[in-house]
């Protein structure tokens, strides 16, 4: 087998259509180095790669070319400054969801010992981001994370353990097994319509965490109906939703009796989250 250097390997896969950043992260994974070591690749551009590294890099490249998320291949994804372990048991955390965390933190910063519930936690991204941020602020937060998937909860618990945070985990279909009342309920539920053609591009991620009925709002309806029974007076329900669903979600919140119903924009200027306050 002809030898190949770091630079040659990266150039070859980049020429085949793979994004340069993806190529760098996959090569670092094959080398057993962290994602933060991209500068190492530049400094060792002419180093020859061992055959085993070349084989691993080739296998990773084929997986990425087949549409598998980069985060699944390298095993991690950064979210709100936290490195989360992810795999095919959970959705890959998206930057858009940081909008939901930021809104949550804005509402919670004035609360003393706030009680927070994350519905459909997946990798634990929302719950862990809130727990980490409020721990640093010294607010004595209590965070509970819920998911219907035992496998997803295993991922979230491991992320929680590795980050040294305190979160309670409950296996439940939305609020069915949840007791107590909370200052805030935040959720990034499934919201893609079951016949949406975009689902074809997400085939590697768990379908049950993506699709929710004919209009994508089945789970959001359930959460809005159930949430009042788990909110303290003055508590908030915040929901992430699709780019074109804000108006409908606001209507559902108003019809259920929520006040101060409003939406928040993501970094792209899209109404990404909607929520309301329970004042009864």
């Amino acid at each position: 087998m002809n030898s190949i250097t770091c630079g040659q390997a990266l150039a070859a896969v980049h020429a085949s259509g793979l994004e340069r950043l993806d190529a760098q992260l996959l090569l670092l994974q094959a080398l057993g180095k962290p994602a933060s070591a991209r500068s190492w690749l530049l400094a060792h551009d002419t180093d020859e790669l061992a055959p085993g590294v070349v084989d691993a890099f080739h296998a990773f490249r084929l997986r990425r070319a087949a549409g598998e998320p980069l985060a699944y291949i390298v095993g991690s994804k950064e979210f709100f400054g936290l490195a989360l372990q992810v795999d095919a048991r959970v959705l890959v955390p998206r930057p858009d969801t940081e909008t939901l965390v930021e809104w949550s933190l804005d509402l919670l910063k004035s609360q003393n010992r706030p009680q927070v519930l994350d519905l459909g936690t997946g990798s634990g991204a929302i719950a862990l981001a809130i727990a980490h941020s409020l721990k640093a602020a010294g607010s004595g937060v209590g965070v509970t994370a819920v998911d219907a998937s035992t496998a997803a909860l295993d991922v979230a618990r491991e992320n929680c353990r590795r980050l040294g945070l305190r979160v309670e985990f409950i296996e439940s279909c939305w609020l069915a097994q949840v007791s107590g009342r909370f200052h805030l309920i935040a959720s990034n539920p499934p919201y893609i319509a079951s016949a949406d053609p975009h689902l074809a591009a997400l085939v590697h991620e768990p379908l049950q965490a993506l699709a929710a009925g004919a209009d994508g709002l089945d789970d959001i309806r359930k959460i809005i109906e159930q949430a009042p029974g788990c909110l303290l007076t003055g508590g908030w329900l915040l929901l992430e939703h699709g780019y074109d669903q804000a108006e409908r979600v606001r209507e559902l919140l108003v019809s259920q009796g929520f006040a101060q119903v409003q939406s928040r924009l993501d970094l792209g200027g899209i109404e990404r989250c909607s929520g309301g306050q329970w004042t009864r």
Side-chain angles (χ1 to χ4, degrees), residues 124-180:
I126 294 169
L128 296 172
I130 292 174
H132 180 264
S133 297
L134 293 182
K135 177 184 177 183
S139 65
V141 62
V143 179
T144 301
V146 171
D147 207 289
S149 167
T150 302
L153 287 173
D154 287 342
V155 176
R157 285 191 181 99
E158 176 57 23
N159 278 322
C160 185
R161 183 202 64 77
R162 191 174 46 81
L163 293 169
L165 297 169
R166 294 185 62 182
V167 173
E168 179 184 355
F169 295 95
I170 299 174
E171 183 175 342
S172 175
C173 181
W174 302 127
L175 290 155
Q177 305 302 319
V178 177
S179 58

Side-chain angles (χ1 to χ4, degrees), residues 42-63:
L42 298 175
H44 294 79
D45 190 61
T46 59
D47 285 12
E48 292 187 0
L49 298 174
V53 172
V54 174
D55 291 343
F57 183 48
H58 178 64
F60 293 157
R61 180 184 68 82
L62 292 179
R63 289 169 63 184

Side-chain angles (χ1 to χ4, degrees), residues 244-260:
D244 59 350
Q245 295 174 329
E247 182 177 1
R248 182 63 182 130
V249 173
R250 289 195 299 267
E251 291 173 353
L252 291 169
L253 288 163
V254 170
S255 66
Q256 186 63 35
F258 282 87
Q260 296 198 56

